[in-house]
Amino acid sequence: MIAPMDVVDAEWIKAKLSGRHGEQARLAERMGIDQDKLSKILKGVRRVQAAEVPRVVAFFEDQSEEPENKVPKLEIADLASEAREDALVPVYDVAASAGHGANVDDYEAIAFSLAFPQDYLRRVTRASLQNLAIISVKGDSMEPTLKDDDVVMLDRSKTNLSYDGLFVLRFGEALHVKRVTRAAKPGHITIISDNRDAYPMQEWPEDQVSVIGKVIWVGGKV
């Protein structure tokens, strides 16, 4: 029997949920919506639409017909749903020098990926996943901000040097991780190392510097 639309609400659905593994993912799929919309329904932010009511009811009717002692089966779809909770950011087999420069011949080689919870990654950046990359740092020119063997995440969509910031740059046939600010001389940028006692500031023509991306996250050993 189809329940009235005003009965099928967040509280009705939560009372029906059994807590089985992957149940909410299967319910969202049956309703024809994504899990974010289902989450909003369960929080009372979104109402169940008229076309969704019979699908919700049918889902729980099917659930009730399963034997009570049946062990929930971990489906491939459930694994895929869990995998979507983490975002895989590629780690490239190349170092950006915090010193005198690292060769970039193997920049396109992906060594492995690091998994980040999607909600955490969204707090770090709004960039799309395909614009993110992680590389390691070599040298001491950016100490104490960056140490030798730290890793940095880049947003490769941010290549505008009109804004100050920490960037991975290619100049002088090498990769460098440096701070950038505008120079007094037109058409030039000032490249700054945090370890200023050992590494003086440099001015480079902007057209001789390629931007790999802006550093948005740093990771390293304690």
Side-chain angles (χ1 to χ4, degrees):
M1 179 181 295
I2 301 297
M5 181 176 174
D6 58 352
V7 172
V8 181
D9 57 11
E11 297 305 316
W12 188 91
I13 293 174
K14 285 190 283 188
K16 294 284 187 180
L17 289 169
S18 66
R20 292 177 180 175
H21 181 81
E23 183 180 29
Q24 291 189 29
R26 292 191 294 273
L27 173 57
E29 183 179 6
R30 185 72 168 267
M31 293 173 67
I33 61 176
D34 57 34
Q35 291 188 64
D36 182 60
K37 288 182 180 178
L38 178 58
S39 177
K40 289 180 180 178
I41 289 173
L42 296 177
K43 292 176 182 177
V45 177
R46 178 186 184 274
R47 296 187 63 184
V48 180
Q49 304 300 303
E52 297 164 355
V53 171
R55 300 172 194 165
V56 175
V57 175
F59 174 82
F60 287 113
E61 286 178 347
D62 292 346
Q63 294 280 90
S64 65
E65 292 173 3
E66 294 183 2
E68 291 185 3
N69 61 351
K70 183 177 178 180
V71 177
K73 182 180 179 182
L74 184 61
E75 302 287 354
I76 293 177
D78 297 334
L79 292 173
S81 174
E82 286 188 348
R84 284 195 297 270
E85 295 176 3
D86 285 343
L88 297 177
V89 180
V91 179
Y92 287 82
D93 186 18
V94 65
S97 175
H100 297 294
N103 191 279
V104 298
D105 290 343
D106 55 355
Y107 178 68
E108 295 303 324
I110 297 177
F112 55 92
S113 297
L114 287 180
F116 290 82
Q118 290 195 32
D119 58 344
Y120 172 76
L121 198 59
R122 282 194 293 269
R123 292 197 295 270
V124 173
T125 179
R126 292 294 177 182
S128 61
L129 190 58
Q130 59 264 33
N131 285 327
L132 301 180
I134 294 173
I135 62 175
S136 58
V137 174
K138 299 298 294 182
D140 63 353
S141 74
M142 291 304 295
E143 289 186 354
T145 307
L146 299 174
K147 298 183 175 67
D148 189 46
D149 287 332
D150 279 354
V151 294
V152 293
M153 184 188 298
L154 315 178
D155 178 355
R156 293 188 292 179
S157 70
K158 294 187 181 298
T159 59
N160 189 344
L161 294 181
S162 297
Y163 302 94
D164 296 353
L166 187 61
F167 290 86
V168 172
L169 311 168
R170 182 189 287 113
F171 60 91
E173 302 302 323
L175 277 187
H176 306 260
V177 55
K178 300 290 181 184
R179 296 194 187 279
V180 173
T181 189
R182 305 304 300 171
K185 188 175 181 180
H188 286 62
I189 58 172
T190 301
I191 296 174
I192 303 169
S193 300
D194 285 0
N195 186 0
R196 299 187 185 186
D197 292 339
Y199 298 87
M201 292 189 298
Q202 306 176 59
E203 282 198 1
W204 273 75
E206 192 169 347
D207 59 6
Q208 293 182 23
V209 179
S210 298
V211 185
I212 305 302
K214 189 175 190 295
V215 175
I216 58 173
W217 177 90
V218 176
K221 294 179 290 187
V222 176

